[in-house]
Amino acid sequence: MIIVLRSDASENSVSELVNYIESFGLGVEKVIGVSQTVLAVLGDTAALPNDIICDFEAVEAVKGISEAHSLAGRASHPCDTVIDISGKTIGGGGFALIAGPCSVENREQLFTVADSVKKSGASFLRGGSFKPRTSPYAFQGLGGEALLLLSEAKKLCGLPVVSEILDKSQLSLFDDVDIIQVGARNMQNSELLKALAKCGKPILLKRGWSNTIKELLYSAEYLMSGGNENVILCERGIRSFDSATRFTLDLSAVPVIKSMSHLPIIVDPSHAAGRAEYVRPLALAATAVGADGIMVEVHNDPPHALCDAAQALTPEQFDAMCKKIFAVRKAVSSCDD
Amino acid sequence: MIIVLRSDASENSVSELVNYIESFGLGVEKVIGVSQTVLAVLGDTAALPNDIICDFEAVEAVKGISEAHSLAGRASHPCDTVIDISGKTIGGGGFALIAGPCSVENREQLFTVADSVKKSGASFLRGGSFKPRTSPYAFQGLGGEALLLLSEAKKLCGLPVVSEILDKSQLSLFDDVDIIQVGARNMQNSELLKALAKCGKPILLKRGWSNTIKELLYSAEYLMSGGNENVILCERGIRSFDSATRFTLDLSAVPVIKSMSHLPIIVDPSHAAGRAEYVRPLALAATAVGADGIMVEVHNDPPHALCDAAQALTPEQFDAMCKKIFAVRKAVSSCDD
Amino acid sequence: MIIVLRSDASENSVSELVNYIESFGLGVEKVIGVSQTVLAVLGDTAALPNDIICDFEAVEAVKGISEAHSLAGRASHPCDTVIDISGKTIGGGGFALIAGPCSVENREQLFTVADSVKKSGASFLRGGSFKPRTSPYAFQGLGGEALLLLSEAKKLCGLPVVSEILDKSQLSLFDDVDIIQVGARNMQNSELLKALAKCGKPILLKRGWSNTIKELLYSAEYLMSGGNENVILCERGIRSFDSATRFTLDLSAVPVIKSMSHLPIIVDPSHAAGRAEYVRPLALAATAVGADGIMVEVHNDPPHALCDAAQALTPEQFDAMCKKIFAVRKAVSSCDD
Amino acid sequence: MIIVLRSDASENSVSELVNYIESFGLGVEKVIGVSQTVLAVLGDTAALPNDIICDFEAVEAVKGISEAHSLAGRASHPCDTVIDISGKTIGGGGFALIAGPCSVENREQLFTVADSVKKSGASFLRGGSFKPRTSPYAFQGLGGEALLLLSEAKKLCGLPVVSEILDKSQLSLFDDVDIIQVGARNMQNSELLKALAKCGKPILLKRGWSNTIKELLYSAEYLMSGGNENVILCERGIRSFDSATRFTLDLSAVPVIKSMSHLPIIVDPSHAAGRAEYVRPLALAATAVGADGIMVEVHNDPPHALCDAAQALTPEQFDAMCKKIFAVRKAVSSCDD
């Protein structure tokens, strides 16, 4: 930490400051520059409250220096993390296509969709079991029953499955789920993150709609520092002042995260768009911006879907979109300079 | 639901729409106006997806009519809810002063603060036990030990206590807590809300920093529809583009909530401000805007607080602020026209 | 306008409402439904204040029906607008590459950049003359001198030029500019828009960083209703709570605008990103999402640029990016289904 | 400027950095600490682009030190600015009540309102002449005619008048206006600000709805560095994700600005609220938070107002509100500790 002193700071006021810092067991080194004098604080300054330091009379400004050397950061882990799930990988140059219904509604619906998305090229099957709904009167998901249907679908179609957990007490039901999803509303549910850190399964961690990228990485840090390094980040739209789309998809998060972290980052265009007609252009944009994959909602009968009906693609729309995605992938990755 | 038809809608396209609506078991009545024709949909339209209706060729616009008659809404409950906690009330014209340290750190700290805030006029003692922190490396609270200290403090000073829960598995530890707080990060943790609906204690429900007032009322609805009508709402700042304060305190939420709901609404100026010097003016503003109370962080030694040091008031600052608050209360409520 | 009456509205209260509406010279038709009664207001309701209507005792809800039939809207103009500028077109399926320095600094800088971006495939040359800066102490642009240099550059390289105007008093200096840009800060400068409506030149209208898409279209309406139909819209990032990028590029604005309006929409990834390393991925995403073009800042010596140095690409970076853009364009538009 | 070097920076990479800095004519001093080495850059670093420095291989972090010593800042001007307008003052402990119609509509309306607000205790009369409207089809104000009516009203009621300017070409019409208002949409219209810096009249500068407090102070700096020190700042609501009110009134801006600047800061609760029923509680909150005044819209017949009808108070509502405001003022300022 660097503390810039006011040019008119009295000796007394500087002593008071130095005493305060030393009360935390830290050392202080004085650096006298041409126009300004600076204190360098030596040692682990994590416990020292910046804002309090700012309030000392002698202080003009306080500057932190080193970011905590985080587990999620590129600095400590320059190469991309690649996560292997039953032979399918996420991160490190591949492209994961995760597709399926918002909610598992019944066997026929799930199996029809699973079959069709697999044929179109999906590598993972998603399906909601426990649904986090704004209103208590909205459909809350089939819960454990949905997870059993997902297990069956997985056996039949061979795709690893992704489903969202809402509470650590549900964990035992997720034994046959390959990737456990933490939704936007739970991104900062620290108790859930701590439990998932111990579960031994890859976690798909969605960015909260009002969380910064740094906060997303801190939530990943809860998982990683607890022992789970298999973390997949997911951008799904942030809340802005414009309601033209359900959320504002922040595609710049992809290159920003790529530069800050080694973790894979995928994009969910469905929840951001809120409408099927915008899903395809946003999915293509996510592909072009360099995401490690996308997660898309597909339903065999969108007009009668029990949840988020307006944003679901039909299997035919999904298939046409996949062809375009593969073409854009090729264009972006070919002849890399 | 009112569906406005396009002026050039073909008979076929209208039939297609009517069939779709009838597939949900609903009736349709056609109203032919001067310049526009309108369909009135009869019955419970909750399951009918607005956005899908919009996509029908025949449709120009869709208009919902009646808000769900919610338990939290004024319509179904015109009088203010008054919550009685060991003889102290919140809502209905009184003013609750909730004060105490961000985190319970040790017996001496808690008892010193409890004693001082009581003398200044506080009606409730707050103290953090389980702390929801952005970083896993930050102080996470003393947990159950803090709750035991709060019980002791309650016996000594006689003030009912408020503490935050993070997960439903912690519920048994909150037996002696008078008001259980749900923090901003957990406002939409539906599993926690469902559990708290059954706990028989008043809940202090903080607005998420990126949640609308409607969403806050929906979260209250989780508690109320599950059987718990003792819900206290709390505005604590929303996230905006400006970082001059930690969050942007949305004081207009108070009159808006007063007009929409019968539940009491208090204000937490400490977390919004992020700095002690802004707490007092914001607390006075909260009083003047008509809040049912405020919740403020007080610490006997702010510069060495383990959590949110910069926003804690000293007991002396709190005492001076209380005097002003009482004066403003009197000015606002006197000779009401 | 449809007014839904309260089920318990008295006859008196309904009469009062009807009288008020009729005081605006409008007619009222009563529609009695099964569970609700509705008033249809006949005539041009533009002058009728919705919010006031809402306050009448008899009223449960007010629903507007028809959007004003705007000149910028798709409804009145189903085909894409194509703008022809000296034989180069924007809109209707082509892709405009606008590139050049943030500010024109001197002849050598401008000509070097103009020459290089043309070789890489740019179709328009941009160059700032009058710069809208947050601080009065920052470089304010070369003004008229810059416009003279742009004229020279245009003759030499043959590319039409784009430059930003700040005030209508500068208009006479823009005679030789092909596309006049209105910046984000001036999107709602109605006096400037009214003057530009009469200028006879295509206008590049940037979205304000806190303006909705609807407001952008209303600003286009100022130009169009004043007689200028050659309007090019531009998404350049909106302000959000995250400062990881300078602004949050809202790429969903592209398909949303495509569905609402016939006007061309281009994307400026440079100002949104704020950093050169993020410009390329965002430019590729803009291409994939269906934009009609992009506008990018290029500088021959970014580290010494007088304005926005960190976001400028070198000519080499721009050239490499163009190759990728052309590949993505091909992938997206090929074999369209 | 302080540049923190990477611990593994090579000598070559440091030389490269030093050469770059010296190419701006600046000096560099090396400070070798215990765990980190730091470069102190000496001289005026305003032209040195921080972001470019960050990109040098040798650099871990860059820290600016001194804020520009601005004219609007407290540092250079510790006492509150007090602006005297025909014997009425704004700033320095007084409280300015500015009231009047959103738009001047006709003589009768203006005179009725002027007379009534004066009786209630208003110290200034506001009235819109040129109106900045989102839509070109909305009422644009009476323009010069409104300014003539304001002059008449001023003579009759004796209150100084406030009106908004949209373009510098209108300046000659504002001769008899006492305070010229710059609206939110024009806060960063640098050409207008430069012209107003020379006009010799006090300026009421409204914060743009998506501008930070720092940017507001920079806009004040345009006026002050151009020669006009009579600047009154105004908070009028910022844009957030919640549409429960028209804008989100950021009352924390008042204490923040008080701590950063010596300029007076008033609050406009009418435009933030968007609805008359919320104006009074927000006005009381603005008073309690320490604002130097408020500006409120009053209309003799709100339901037929030509502009912003829903947010106008009747003269009776305004009168009742003023009584409360005076009481809160007294409570807040009495027996100050």
Side-chain angles (χ1 to χ4, degrees), chain A residues 20 55 133 137 210 215 221-222 239 275 303, chain B residues 20 55 133 137 210 215 221-222 239 275 303:
Chain A
Y20 175 62
D55 287 342
R133 304 303 296 272
Y137 308 125
S210 199
E215 289 169 345
E221 204 73 13
Y222 265 98
R239 194 156 252 183
R275 292 187 65 75
Chain B
Y20 175 62
D55 287 343
R133 304 304 295 271
Y137 308 127
S210 199
E215 288 168 345
E221 205 72 14
Y222 265 98
R239 195 154 251 185
R275 292 187 65 75

PDB file of all heavy atoms in Angstrom, chain A residues 20 55 133 137 210 215 221-222 239 275 303, chain B residues 20 55 133 137 210 215 221-222 239 275 303:
ATOM      1  N   TYR A  20      -1.042   4.387  13.928  1.00  0.00           N
ATOM      2  CA  TYR A  20      -2.223   3.592  13.601  1.00  0.00           C
ATOM      3  C   TYR A  20      -1.833   2.378  12.760  1.00  0.00           C
ATOM      4  O   TYR A  20      -2.235   1.248  13.027  1.00  0.00           O
ATOM      5  CB  TYR A  20      -3.260   4.445  12.876  1.00  0.00           C
ATOM      6  CG  TYR A  20      -4.455   3.667  12.406  1.00  0.00           C
ATOM      7  CD1 TYR A  20      -5.300   3.005  13.309  1.00  0.00           C
ATOM      8  CD2 TYR A  20      -4.769   3.567  11.047  1.00  0.00           C
ATOM      9  CE1 TYR A  20      -6.405   2.280  12.880  1.00  0.00           C
ATOM     10  CE2 TYR A  20      -5.869   2.853  10.606  1.00  0.00           C
ATOM     11  CZ  TYR A  20      -6.685   2.208  11.525  1.00  0.00           C
ATOM     12  OH  TYR A  20      -7.769   1.475  11.092  1.00  0.00           O
ATOM     13  N   ASP A  55      -9.148   8.854   5.967  1.00  0.00           N
ATOM     14  CA  ASP A  55      -9.704   9.894   6.826  1.00  0.00           C
ATOM     15  C   ASP A  55      -8.660  10.571   7.702  1.00  0.00           C
ATOM     16  O   ASP A  55      -8.952  11.594   8.326  1.00  0.00           O
ATOM     17  CB  ASP A  55     -10.818   9.307   7.717  1.00  0.00           C
ATOM     18  CG  ASP A  55     -12.075   9.009   6.910  1.00  0.00           C
ATOM     19  OD1 ASP A  55     -12.197   9.556   5.798  1.00  0.00           O
ATOM     20  OD2 ASP A  55     -12.913   8.236   7.387  1.00  0.00           O
ATOM     21  N   ARG A 133     -37.984 -18.824  -8.966  1.00  0.00           N
ATOM     22  CA  ARG A 133     -38.961 -17.922  -9.584  1.00  0.00           C
ATOM     23  C   ARG A 133     -39.185 -16.678  -8.735  1.00  0.00           C
ATOM     24  O   ARG A 133     -39.188 -16.755  -7.508  1.00  0.00           O
ATOM     25  CB  ARG A 133     -40.293 -18.665  -9.789  1.00  0.00           C
ATOM     26  CG  ARG A 133     -40.165 -19.942 -10.604  1.00  0.00           C
ATOM     27  CD  ARG A 133     -39.560 -19.707 -11.984  1.00  0.00           C
ATOM     28  NE  ARG A 133     -40.382 -18.886 -12.823  1.00  0.00           N
ATOM     29  CZ  ARG A 133     -41.351 -19.331 -13.611  1.00  0.00           C
ATOM     30  NH1 ARG A 133     -41.580 -20.630 -13.673  1.00  0.00           N
ATOM     31  NH2 ARG A 133     -42.051 -18.507 -14.344  1.00  0.00           N
ATOM     32  N   TYR A 137     -46.072 -17.873  -6.776  1.00  0.00           N
ATOM     33  CA  TYR A 137     -47.217 -18.480  -7.445  1.00  0.00           C
ATOM     34  C   TYR A 137     -46.848 -19.053  -8.808  1.00  0.00           C
ATOM     35  O   TYR A 137     -47.680 -19.643  -9.481  1.00  0.00           O
ATOM     36  CB  TYR A 137     -48.345 -17.444  -7.583  1.00  0.00           C
ATOM     37  CG  TYR A 137     -48.678 -16.770  -6.259  1.00  0.00           C
ATOM     38  CD1 TYR A 137     -48.657 -15.386  -6.132  1.00  0.00           C
ATOM     39  CD2 TYR A 137     -48.975 -17.533  -5.125  1.00  0.00           C
ATOM     40  CE1 TYR A 137     -48.947 -14.771  -4.919  1.00  0.00           C
ATOM     41  CE2 TYR A 137     -49.260 -16.926  -3.910  1.00  0.00           C
ATOM     42  CZ  TYR A 137     -49.237 -15.544  -3.804  1.00  0.00           C
ATOM     43  OH  TYR A 137     -49.518 -14.951  -2.600  1.00  0.00           O
ATOM     44  N   SER A 210     -26.585  -8.202 -11.378  1.00  0.00           N
ATOM     45  CA  SER A 210     -26.041  -6.904 -10.979  1.00  0.00           C
ATOM     46  C   SER A 210     -24.705  -7.082 -10.289  1.00  0.00           C
ATOM     47  O   SER A 210     -24.363  -6.331  -9.398  1.00  0.00           O
ATOM     48  CB  SER A 210     -27.018  -6.160 -10.092  1.00  0.00           C
ATOM     49  OG  SER A 210     -26.679  -4.788 -10.075  1.00  0.00           O
ATOM     50  N   GLU A 215     -16.661  -9.495  -8.861  1.00  0.00           N
ATOM     51  CA  GLU A 215     -17.454 -10.245  -7.884  1.00  0.00           C
ATOM     52  C   GLU A 215     -17.706 -11.672  -8.356  1.00  0.00           C
ATOM     53  O   GLU A 215     -17.723 -12.607  -7.559  1.00  0.00           O
ATOM     54  CB  GLU A 215     -18.778  -9.526  -7.613  1.00  0.00           C
ATOM     55  CG  GLU A 215     -18.593  -8.239  -6.807  1.00  0.00           C
ATOM     56  CD  GLU A 215     -19.846  -7.377  -6.756  1.00  0.00           C
ATOM     57  OE1 GLU A 215     -20.777  -7.615  -7.558  1.00  0.00           O
ATOM     58  OE2 GLU A 215     -19.886  -6.451  -5.925  1.00  0.00           O
ATOM     59  N   GLU A 221     -13.811 -17.942  -6.564  1.00  0.00           N
ATOM     60  CA  GLU A 221     -12.782 -18.140  -5.548  1.00  0.00           C
ATOM     61  C   GLU A 221     -13.326 -18.917  -4.338  1.00  0.00           C
ATOM     62  O   GLU A 221     -12.598 -19.695  -3.714  1.00  0.00           O
ATOM     63  CB  GLU A 221     -12.274 -16.755  -5.111  1.00  0.00           C
ATOM     64  CG  GLU A 221     -10.897 -16.731  -4.542  1.00  0.00           C
ATOM     65  CD  GLU A 221      -9.798 -16.911  -5.585  1.00  0.00           C
ATOM     66  OE1 GLU A 221     -10.057 -16.818  -6.794  1.00  0.00           O
ATOM     67  OE2 GLU A 221      -8.655 -17.204  -5.167  1.00  0.00           O
ATOM     68  N   TYR A 222     -14.588 -18.699  -3.996  1.00  0.00           N
ATOM     69  CA  TYR A 222     -15.209 -19.500  -2.927  1.00  0.00           C
ATOM     70  C   TYR A 222     -15.149 -20.987  -3.273  1.00  0.00           C
ATOM     71  O   TYR A 222     -14.838 -21.830  -2.430  1.00  0.00           O
ATOM     72  CB  TYR A 222     -16.688 -19.105  -2.733  1.00  0.00           C
ATOM     73  CG  TYR A 222     -16.942 -18.082  -1.648  1.00  0.00           C
ATOM     74  CD1 TYR A 222     -17.100 -16.740  -1.954  1.00  0.00           C
ATOM     75  CD2 TYR A 222     -17.050 -18.459  -0.303  1.00  0.00           C
ATOM     76  CE1 TYR A 222     -17.348 -15.786  -0.970  1.00  0.00           C
ATOM     77  CE2 TYR A 222     -17.303 -17.517   0.692  1.00  0.00           C
ATOM     78  CZ  TYR A 222     -17.445 -16.172   0.359  1.00  0.00           C
ATOM     79  OH  TYR A 222     -17.682 -15.258   1.340  1.00  0.00           O
ATOM     80  N   ARG A 239     -28.584  -6.294 -15.551  1.00  0.00           N
ATOM     81  CA  ARG A 239     -29.753  -5.423 -15.486  1.00  0.00           C
ATOM     82  C   ARG A 239     -29.325  -4.015 -15.870  1.00  0.00           C
ATOM     83  O   ARG A 239     -28.378  -3.474 -15.300  1.00  0.00           O
ATOM     84  CB  ARG A 239     -30.290  -5.460 -14.058  1.00  0.00           C
ATOM     85  CG  ARG A 239     -31.658  -4.867 -13.963  1.00  0.00           C
ATOM     86  CD  ARG A 239     -32.413  -5.411 -12.763  1.00  0.00           C
ATOM     87  NE  ARG A 239     -33.459  -6.326 -13.179  1.00  0.00           N
ATOM     88  CZ  ARG A 239     -34.314  -6.908 -12.326  1.00  0.00           C
ATOM     89  NH1 ARG A 239     -34.215  -6.694 -11.044  1.00  0.00           N
ATOM     90  NH2 ARG A 239     -35.245  -7.722 -12.779  1.00  0.00           N
ATOM     91  N   ARG A 275     -36.545 -13.256 -25.657  1.00  0.00           N
ATOM     92  CA  ARG A 275     -37.401 -13.516 -26.824  1.00  0.00           C
ATOM     93  C   ARG A 275     -36.634 -14.365 -27.833  1.00  0.00           C
ATOM     94  O   ARG A 275     -35.495 -14.066 -28.165  1.00  0.00           O
ATOM     95  CB  ARG A 275     -37.823 -12.218 -27.507  1.00  0.00           C
ATOM     96  CG  ARG A 275     -38.764 -11.365 -26.676  1.00  0.00           C
ATOM     97  CD  ARG A 275     -39.291 -10.176 -27.472  1.00  0.00           C
ATOM     98  NE  ARG A 275     -40.128 -10.601 -28.582  1.00  0.00           N
ATOM     99  CZ  ARG A 275     -41.389 -11.051 -28.441  1.00  0.00           C
ATOM    100  NH1 ARG A 275     -41.932 -11.098 -27.261  1.00  0.00           N
ATOM    101  NH2 ARG A 275     -42.086 -11.430 -29.492  1.00  0.00           N
ATOM    102  N   PRO A 303     -44.979 -22.448 -27.293  1.00  0.00           N
ATOM    103  CA  PRO A 303     -46.156 -21.707 -26.820  1.00  0.00           C
ATOM    104  C   PRO A 303     -46.809 -22.316 -25.587  1.00  0.00           C
ATOM    105  O   PRO A 303     -47.571 -21.649 -24.910  1.00  0.00           O
ATOM    106  CB  PRO A 303     -47.111 -21.764 -28.019  1.00  0.00           C
ATOM    107  CG  PRO A 303     -46.237 -21.954 -29.197  1.00  0.00           C
ATOM    108  CD  PRO A 303     -45.108 -22.821 -28.701  1.00  0.00           C
TER     109      PRO A 303
ATOM    110  N   TYR B  20     -55.747 -20.879 -29.991  1.00  0.00           N
ATOM    111  CA  TYR B  20     -54.625 -21.002 -29.050  1.00  0.00           C
ATOM    112  C   TYR B  20     -55.088 -20.649 -27.636  1.00  0.00           C
ATOM    113  O   TYR B  20     -54.824 -21.374 -26.675  1.00  0.00           O
ATOM    114  CB  TYR B  20     -53.468 -20.108 -29.483  1.00  0.00           C
ATOM    115  CG  TYR B  20     -52.326 -20.077 -28.503  1.00  0.00           C
ATOM    116  CD1 TYR B  20     -51.616 -21.247 -28.199  1.00  0.00           C
ATOM    117  CD2 TYR B  20     -51.960 -18.896 -27.864  1.00  0.00           C
ATOM    118  CE1 TYR B  20     -50.578 -21.219 -27.284  1.00  0.00           C
ATOM    119  CE2 TYR B  20     -50.919 -18.868 -26.955  1.00  0.00           C
ATOM    120  CZ  TYR B  20     -50.231 -20.037 -26.667  1.00  0.00           C
ATOM    121  OH  TYR B  20     -49.196 -20.025 -25.755  1.00  0.00           O
ATOM    122  N   ASP B  55     -46.750 -12.640 -30.462  1.00  0.00           N
ATOM    123  CA  ASP B  55     -46.139 -13.080 -31.711  1.00  0.00           C
ATOM    124  C   ASP B  55     -47.162 -13.528 -32.754  1.00  0.00           C
ATOM    125  O   ASP B  55     -46.810 -13.749 -33.912  1.00  0.00           O
ATOM    126  CB  ASP B  55     -45.154 -14.225 -31.439  1.00  0.00           C
ATOM    127  CG  ASP B  55     -43.884 -13.715 -30.769  1.00  0.00           C
ATOM    128  OD1 ASP B  55     -43.645 -12.495 -30.816  1.00  0.00           O
ATOM    129  OD2 ASP B  55     -43.148 -14.534 -30.202  1.00  0.00           O
ATOM    130  N   ARG B 133     -19.919 -12.356   2.704  1.00  0.00           N
ATOM    131  CA  ARG B 133     -18.824 -11.539   2.179  1.00  0.00           C
ATOM    132  C   ARG B 133     -18.549 -11.845   0.717  1.00  0.00           C
ATOM    133  O   ARG B 133     -18.632 -13.006   0.294  1.00  0.00           O
ATOM    134  CB  ARG B 133     -17.547 -11.772   3.004  1.00  0.00           C
ATOM    135  CG  ARG B 133     -17.729 -11.509   4.506  1.00  0.00           C
ATOM    136  CD  ARG B 133     -18.251 -10.105   4.797  1.00  0.00           C
ATOM    137  NE  ARG B 133     -17.305  -9.091   4.424  1.00  0.00           N
ATOM    138  CZ  ARG B 133     -16.356  -8.611   5.220  1.00  0.00           C
ATOM    139  NH1 ARG B 133     -16.247  -9.056   6.472  1.00  0.00           N
ATOM    140  NH2 ARG B 133     -15.528  -7.684   4.793  1.00  0.00           N
ATOM    141  N   TYR B 137     -11.930 -14.777   1.482  1.00  0.00           N
ATOM    142  CA  TYR B 137     -10.801 -14.509   2.368  1.00  0.00           C
ATOM    143  C   TYR B 137     -11.130 -13.439   3.410  1.00  0.00           C
ATOM    144  O   TYR B 137     -10.313 -13.128   4.262  1.00  0.00           O
ATOM    145  CB  TYR B 137      -9.580 -14.086   1.540  1.00  0.00           C
ATOM    146  CG  TYR B 137      -9.272 -15.072   0.431  1.00  0.00           C
ATOM    147  CD1 TYR B 137      -9.136 -14.663  -0.895  1.00  0.00           C
ATOM    148  CD2 TYR B 137      -9.143 -16.446   0.713  1.00  0.00           C
ATOM    149  CE1 TYR B 137      -8.877 -15.573  -1.905  1.00  0.00           C
ATOM    150  CE2 TYR B 137      -8.888 -17.367  -0.305  1.00  0.00           C
ATOM    151  CZ  TYR B 137      -8.759 -16.914  -1.607  1.00  0.00           C
ATOM    152  OH  TYR B 137      -8.512 -17.813  -2.605  1.00  0.00           O
ATOM    153  N   SER B 210     -30.057  -4.934  -6.823  1.00  0.00           N
ATOM    154  CA  SER B 210     -30.499  -4.747  -8.193  1.00  0.00           C
ATOM    155  C   SER B 210     -31.881  -5.329  -8.385  1.00  0.00           C
ATOM    156  O   SER B 210     -32.204  -5.833  -9.451  1.00  0.00           O
ATOM    157  CB  SER B 210     -29.520  -5.364  -9.166  1.00  0.00           C
ATOM    158  OG  SER B 210     -29.719  -4.805 -10.444  1.00  0.00           O
ATOM    159  N   GLU B 215     -40.194  -6.805  -7.249  1.00  0.00           N
ATOM    160  CA  GLU B 215     -39.548  -8.075  -6.897  1.00  0.00           C
ATOM    161  C   GLU B 215     -39.416  -8.208  -5.382  1.00  0.00           C
ATOM    162  O   GLU B 215     -39.523  -9.317  -4.837  1.00  0.00           O
ATOM    163  CB  GLU B 215     -38.181  -8.172  -7.574  1.00  0.00           C
ATOM    164  CG  GLU B 215     -38.284  -8.399  -9.080  1.00  0.00           C
ATOM    165  CD  GLU B 215     -36.976  -8.228  -9.824  1.00  0.00           C
ATOM    166  OE1 GLU B 215     -36.026  -7.657  -9.236  1.00  0.00           O
ATOM    167  OE2 GLU B 215     -36.891  -8.631 -10.989  1.00  0.00           O
ATOM    168  N   GLU B 221     -43.991 -11.905  -0.591  1.00  0.00           N
ATOM    169  CA  GLU B 221     -45.104 -12.816  -0.874  1.00  0.00           C
ATOM    170  C   GLU B 221     -44.715 -14.276  -0.597  1.00  0.00           C
ATOM    171  O   GLU B 221     -45.554 -15.076  -0.185  1.00  0.00           O
ATOM    172  CB  GLU B 221     -45.492 -12.620  -2.344  1.00  0.00           C
ATOM    173  CG  GLU B 221     -46.895 -12.982  -2.683  1.00  0.00           C
ATOM    174  CD  GLU B 221     -47.937 -12.006  -2.162  1.00  0.00           C
ATOM    175  OE1 GLU B 221     -47.589 -10.887  -1.749  1.00  0.00           O
ATOM    176  OE2 GLU B 221     -49.122 -12.400  -2.151  1.00  0.00           O
ATOM    177  N   TYR B 222     -43.446 -14.618  -0.845  1.00  0.00           N
ATOM    178  CA  TYR B 222     -42.978 -15.972  -0.496  1.00  0.00           C
ATOM    179  C   TYR B 222     -43.170 -16.222   0.997  1.00  0.00           C
ATOM    180  O   TYR B 222     -43.620 -17.293   1.414  1.00  0.00           O
ATOM    181  CB  TYR B 222     -41.488 -16.150  -0.836  1.00  0.00           C
ATOM    182  CG  TYR B 222     -41.207 -16.763  -2.184  1.00  0.00           C
ATOM    183  CD1 TYR B 222     -40.883 -15.980  -3.283  1.00  0.00           C
ATOM    184  CD2 TYR B 222     -41.241 -18.145  -2.371  1.00  0.00           C
ATOM    185  CE1 TYR B 222     -40.616 -16.529  -4.525  1.00  0.00           C
ATOM    186  CE2 TYR B 222     -40.964 -18.717  -3.618  1.00  0.00           C
ATOM    187  CZ  TYR B 222     -40.661 -17.902  -4.685  1.00  0.00           C
ATOM    188  OH  TYR B 222     -40.399 -18.457  -5.910  1.00  0.00           O
ATOM    189  N   ARG B 239     -27.643  -0.576  -6.790  1.00  0.00           N
ATOM    190  CA  ARG B 239     -26.408  -0.406  -7.539  1.00  0.00           C
ATOM    191  C   ARG B 239     -26.662   0.529  -8.706  1.00  0.00           C
ATOM    192  O   ARG B 239     -27.578   0.307  -9.499  1.00  0.00           O
ATOM    193  CB  ARG B 239     -25.964  -1.769  -8.044  1.00  0.00           C
ATOM    194  CG  ARG B 239     -24.547  -1.789  -8.514  1.00  0.00           C
ATOM    195  CD  ARG B 239     -23.949  -3.182  -8.408  1.00  0.00           C
ATOM    196  NE  ARG B 239     -22.973  -3.257  -7.347  1.00  0.00           N
ATOM    197  CZ  ARG B 239     -22.221  -4.330  -7.099  1.00  0.00           C
ATOM    198  NH1 ARG B 239     -22.367  -5.422  -7.815  1.00  0.00           N
ATOM    199  NH2 ARG B 239     -21.345  -4.321  -6.133  1.00  0.00           N
ATOM    200  N   ARG B 275     -19.736   5.226   4.065  1.00  0.00           N
ATOM    201  CA  ARG B 275     -18.838   6.104   4.816  1.00  0.00           C
ATOM    202  C   ARG B 275     -19.635   6.785   5.935  1.00  0.00           C
ATOM    203  O   ARG B 275     -20.723   7.314   5.715  1.00  0.00           O
ATOM    204  CB  ARG B 275     -18.247   7.203   3.929  1.00  0.00           C
ATOM    205  CG  ARG B 275     -17.285   6.681   2.885  1.00  0.00           C
ATOM    206  CD  ARG B 275     -16.596   7.815   2.143  1.00  0.00           C
ATOM    207  NE  ARG B 275     -15.733   8.586   3.020  1.00  0.00           N
ATOM    208  CZ  ARG B 275     -14.541   8.177   3.467  1.00  0.00           C
ATOM    209  NH1 ARG B 275     -14.077   6.996   3.079  1.00  0.00           N
ATOM    210  NH2 ARG B 275     -13.838   8.929   4.273  1.00  0.00           N
ATOM    211  N   PRO B 303     -12.141   2.358  13.651  1.00  0.00           N
ATOM    212  CA  PRO B 303     -10.923   2.110  12.863  1.00  0.00           C
ATOM    213  C   PRO B 303     -10.405   0.673  12.972  1.00  0.00           C
ATOM    214  O   PRO B 303      -9.635   0.229  12.145  1.00  0.00           O
ATOM    215  CB  PRO B 303      -9.900   3.097  13.450  1.00  0.00           C
ATOM    216  CG  PRO B 303     -10.738   4.183  14.046  1.00  0.00           C
ATOM    217  CD  PRO B 303     -11.962   3.494  14.574  1.00  0.00           C
TER     218      PRO B 303
END
